[in-house]
Amino acid sequence: MEMASTPRTVEEIFKDYSARRTAIVRALSQDVDEFYGLCDPDKENLCLYGHPNETWEVTLPAEEVPPELPEPALGINFARDGMNRRDWLSLVAVHSDSWLLSVAFYLGARLNRNERKRLFSLINDLPTVFEVVTERKPVKDKPTADSGSKSRGSTKVSRSSDGQVKSNPKFADEGYEEEDDEHSETLCGSCGGNYNADEFWIGCDICERWFHGKCVKITPAKAESIKQYKCPSCSMRRGRP
């Protein structure tokens, strides 16, 4: 087993989850060429592992049955050459998210209801691997409902007769209509432009305003390493709560 001692508390399990997630995000972003090369379709069933020391590994599944921890998706290498590279990476990302959650809740089997809720809340505050790899969504949670004035000239939003915001049909197929609805009236705190699901956004943890990543010079990769984001104006007012 890779761990010196099994994580028991919410904090220990979340630390384990975060380290494994960081490793997998690195494999699917910074180290993607190396990862892609290791997933040879001519080899046996391969799995992508993220380890608690923030390293990743492409290797065969554990031999013991049942394994000490839940296993990642088997055979990710078989689909590699039959799919578009981005689609394949997205597929691996989705399966990796599922595995990370299963490991966290396997380790947390003895937690009580409130502890499990707290663990999931901590996990849910981070973007999923899928969201990072596909740059689908802003880094923070959804903006609040009153976070902006009416949408102006947005090509992504249409309104039905009862005033409800409708999402662009393009996103409905992918199950992202709810997210588009919630962001549709959000305006960039820097340039005032409307939310666009095709662009990377980041939310300030202090004032809770939202910004185009490009307006505040934050890339998705850079946002990954930011624990608490402060927008330029909140950074200037450091002395205030």
Side-chain angles (χ1 to χ4, degrees):
M1 198 166 176
E2 325 145 2
M3 294 169 289
S5 60
T6 305
R8 299 268 181 215
T9 67
V10 170
E11 287 70 25
E12 287 170 350
I13 295 168
F14 178 63
K15 186 179 177 186
D16 181 271
Y17 170 90
S18 300
R20 292 175 189 274
R21 176 186 167 280
T22 296
I24 288 175
V25 166
R26 187 179 299 125
L28 299 178
S29 54
Q30 291 168 249
D31 303 342
V32 66
D33 291 334
E34 181 186 351
F35 167 69
Y36 191 86
L38 289 170
C39 291
D40 183 345
D42 292 333
K43 291 186 178 171
E44 293 181 62
N45 269 319
L46 293 175
C47 300
L48 170 60
Y49 287 86
H51 297 309
N53 63 356
E54 297 191 4
T55 62
W56 58 270
E57 181 182 17
V58 171
T59 188
L60 296 169
E63 287 184 14
E64 72 262 45
V65 179
E68 287 196 57
L69 286 177
E71 287 294 333
L74 287 175
I76 54 171
N77 49 315
F78 296 147
R80 190 194 75 178
D81 292 353
M83 297 176 73
N84 170 288
R85 175 161 154 153
R86 280 182 68 91
D87 292 343
W88 177 72
L89 290 172
S90 298
L91 182 69
V92 175
V94 167
H95 279 294
S96 296
D97 280 317
S98 174
W99 175 68
L100 288 166
L101 270 179
S102 68
V103 170
F105 278 80
Y106 177 87
L107 294 172
R110 291 176 180 79
L111 297 176
N112 65 35
R113 181 180 173 184
N114 287 336
E115 288 170 333
R116 286 195 307 273
K117 189 174 180 182
R118 191 153 57 89
L119 174 61
F120 184 74
S121 181
L122 287 168
I123 288 171
N124 205 35
D125 278 343
L126 293 172
T128 63
V129 176
F130 176 75
E131 285 165 348
V132 173
V133 168
T134 59
E135 297 177 15
R136 284 264 172 160
K137 146 175 211 199
V139 166
K140 288 295 294 174
D141 281 344
K142 321 174 199 39
T144 53
D146 57 358
S147 63
S149 56
K150 290 263 167 76
S151 170
R152 288 193 298 271
S154 170
T155 55
K156 286 229 174 278
V157 180
S158 60
R159 291 187 179 277
S160 57
S161 55
D162 61 359
Q164 289 294 305
V165 177
K166 285 183 176 175
S167 66
N168 186 307
K170 175 184 159 195
F171 287 90
D173 296 342
E174 301 169 5
Y176 275 78
E177 70 263 28
E178 184 182 332
E179 180 181 301
D180 226 20
D181 283 4
E182 284 155 345
H183 289 304
S184 60
E185 295 191 356
T186 304
L187 303 177
C188 174
S190 181
C191 73
N194 285 101
Y195 172 75
N196 180 335
D198 290 336
E199 296 176 308
F200 173 70
W201 282 56
I202 187 165
C204 175
D205 287 302
I206 311 301
C207 67
E208 297 188 349
R209 286 186 303 162
W210 286 77
F211 301 86
H212 288 107
K214 63 187 180 190
C215 289
V216 288
K217 297 184 170 60
I218 301 286
T219 63
K222 192 172 177 185
E224 254 302 285
S225 61
I226 299 174
K227 285 199 171 67
Q228 185 186 55
Y229 175 67
K230 285 186 186 177
C231 70
S233 54
C234 287
S235 296
M236 302 273 284
R237 297 195 299 264
R238 284 191 60 171
R240 295 168 66 178

